[in-house]
Amino acid sequence: MELAYYSDYAVRLVNTEEPARNKDALTSVEAVRELFGANQQAARRTTDADVTRFRSVRARLRAVFEAADGDDETLAVDLLNSLLLEFPVSPQISGHDVRDQDGRPDWHMHLADHPSNATAGYTAIAAMGLAFHLTEHGVDRLGLCEAAPCRNAYLDTSTNRSRRYCSDRCATRANVAAYRARKREEAERTGRSAETAQPSTAVTDR
C-alpha cells in the first residue's frame, strides 16, 4: 500500500541526530529540504523557523521508537496518537500520472501536503506512515539499532522479526565486537585454567 512508504519519513527525520555521538545533521534549511526527497514542492516551503520545529518533532518521534524498543506498546501508541491529533493528514486518491498495463490510472491513496508550513506537512505524513506501519505489522517492528553507540531508528520488515540493527554496517561491527569479546573471554579462561594446573612449588624443611 502507498501509505507504507510514508513511514520512512519518520525514520529519516529521527536519524538526523546521533545523541550518543553528539551529532546533529539538522542544522540548516538545506538539511531540512533534503528530508523531503523527491517532493521538492513541499521542500520549497521550508524556512529558518522549520529547523527548530523539525528538531522538536524529531524528539517526539524518537520517543515513539524508544517506547517501542522498551516494549512499552501503550506509551508508543499514545505518543504517536498525540502527533496524529496535532498534525492531521489530508488523504487523497491519486493516480492521474501513473498508468497500469491497460493504460488506466493506477489509483492509490496519497497523503496530500499540508498547506500551512513545511513542518506540519512533513509531520502529518511521517506520523501517519508510522501509524500505518505500527498497526499493520506491530509495535515490535519499530526498533533502535543495538550496535552502540549508534541507536538509529529502523523499521523491521524481516519475515521472522529478527532485525536488530539499522544497517549491514552496524550488524557487521556488532558481530566483530562480539567475536572479539568471545576470544578475550576464551583467552582469560585458558589463562585461569593454566594457573590452576601449575604444580605446587612449596619448599619442605630438611
Side-chain angles (χ1 to χ4, degrees), residues 105-144:
D106 184 15
W107 301 115
H108 58 273
M109 290 301 298
H110 172 75
L111 300 184
D113 295 326
H114 200 288
S116 59
N117 59 68
T119 303
Y122 192 98
T123 306
I125 291 173
M128 187 61 195
L130 197 58
F132 174 82
H133 192 93
L134 185 152
T135 54
E136 184 74 7
H137 304 292
V139 178
D140 58 338
R141 293 288 189 154
L142 278 59
L144 292 173

Side-chain angles (χ1 to χ4, degrees), residues 187-206:
E188 290 172 0
R189 282 201 304 267
T190 300
R192 289 194 296 268
S193 298
E195 290 175 1
T196 303
Q198 288 291 330
S200 175
T201 57
V203 178
T204 57
D205 294 332
R206 294 189 177 184

Side-chain angles (χ1 to χ4, degrees), residues 7 10-11 14 60-70 76 130 141-144 153-155:
S7 59
V11 174
V14 170
R60 295 171 67 180
L61 285 171
R62 174 170 282 278
V64 174
F65 280 92
E66 290 175 341
D69 189 65
L130 197 58
R141 293 288 189 154
L142 278 59
L144 292 173
Y154 65 83
L155 299 172

Side-chain angles (χ1 to χ4, degrees), residues 6-19 23-28 31-36 50-62 65 83 87 118-127 130 151-153:
Y6 293 117
S7 59
D8 191 54
Y9 275 54
V11 174
R12 289 206 302 269
L13 177 54
V14 170
N15 291 346
T16 59
E17 181 184 30
E18 297 181 72
K23 291 183 177 180
D24 188 349
L26 205 59
T27 58
S28 65
V32 172
R33 286 173 177 165
E34 287 180 4
L35 291 170
F36 286 90
D50 285 301
V51 177
T52 300
R53 289 194 290 250
F54 262 70
R55 286 178 173 175
S56 176
V57 170
R58 179 180 63 189
R60 295 171 67 180
L61 285 171
R62 174 170 282 278
F65 280 92
L83 284 167
F87 301 96
T119 303
Y122 192 98
T123 306
I125 291 173
L130 197 58
R151 303 301 283 169
N152 271 352

Side-chain angles (χ1 to χ4, degrees), residues 167-202:
S167 64
D168 290 339
R169 179 182 179 183
C170 277
T172 299
R173 183 160 54 85
N175 289 335
V176 170
Y179 173 79
R180 289 174 176 171
R182 287 196 302 271
K183 286 299 182 181
R184 283 195 300 270
E185 185 177 345
E186 290 172 4
E188 290 172 0
R189 282 201 304 267
T190 300
R192 289 194 296 268
S193 298
E195 290 175 1
T196 303
Q198 288 291 330
S200 175
T201 57

